[in-house]
Amino acid sequence: MFSGHASVDIDGDGELDGVRLDIDGDGVIDDALADFDDDGLADHAAFDLDDDGTAEALYTDDGSGSWALTPAGPGGPLRWFGLDGIEHTASGAIDFDGDGRTDRLVDVDRDGLADRALHAAPDGSYDAGYVDTDGDGSWDVTLVDTDGDGASDDAGPV
């Protein structure tokens, strides 16, 4: 838990909204956390801010507890490989599997390529996940939540 006073403008609107700290452990206080939805919890993380507040990478948490590279953030658009092996680049809401629902992609290693995909169920929860375990861009493991409790009940190869 961390509390602090805003000292940097992350969203570029001229108002201080981010608390500076060292999130990535590089020994430099050039990262920041911000709460844009005013719920008292950080929902934006900016890494390696330069003097004018521009971040090398910007991550968001949509409330699911999973931090993801902002699709059109300063680090460039998020890329991913579909289940068919075709590479895609984010340009808005992401429909990973083409079912018309917005899915969630996560870039855990900050290389701009999605490492996790959360499949949106009709009720808005996530009912399946895909994981790239070796960082090669292809999906290796499928996780399935069959009872809707938010925890994986089964895993297998894609």
Side-chain angles (χ1 to χ4, degrees):
M1 188 59 112
F2 183 83
S3 296
H5 296 285
S7 61
V8 65
D9 177 17
I10 292 178
D11 61 5
D13 66 357
E15 295 184 26
L16 300 178
D17 46 32
V19 176
R20 282 191 179 268
L21 48 128
D22 179 19
I23 301 170
D24 57 10
D26 64 2
V28 180
I29 299 177
D30 60 350
D31 310 315
L33 292 174
D35 174 21
F36 290 134
D37 62 7
D38 295 322
D39 67 356
L41 301 172
D43 48 55
H44 282 68
F47 287 83
D48 300 326
L49 296 163
D50 59 22
D51 292 336
D52 68 359
T54 303
E56 181 180 301
L58 182 64
Y59 290 80
T60 59
D61 177 4
D62 65 359
S64 68
S66 297
W67 289 86
L69 183 68
T70 301
L78 184 63
R79 298 173 301 113
W80 74 94
F81 287 91
L83 295 173
D84 57 5
I86 296 174
E87 184 174 342
H88 302 272
T89 302
S91 63
I94 297 169
D95 183 3
F96 174 73
D97 60 349
D99 64 0
R101 292 188 295 271
T102 300
D103 301 308
R104 178 89 168 146
L105 296 181
V106 181
D107 177 17
V108 295
D109 61 7
R110 295 177 41 188
D111 67 355
L113 185 62
D115 308 297
R116 313 285 188 268
L118 300 174
H119 177 264
D123 66 0
S125 64
Y126 298 107
D127 61 1
Y130 298 88
V131 182
D132 175 8
T133 59
D134 56 12
D136 67 355
S138 63
W139 304 107
D140 303 305
V141 177
T142 303
L143 304 169
V144 181
D145 177 12
T146 57
D147 58 12
D149 67 354
S152 177
D153 301 307
D154 193 15
V158 174

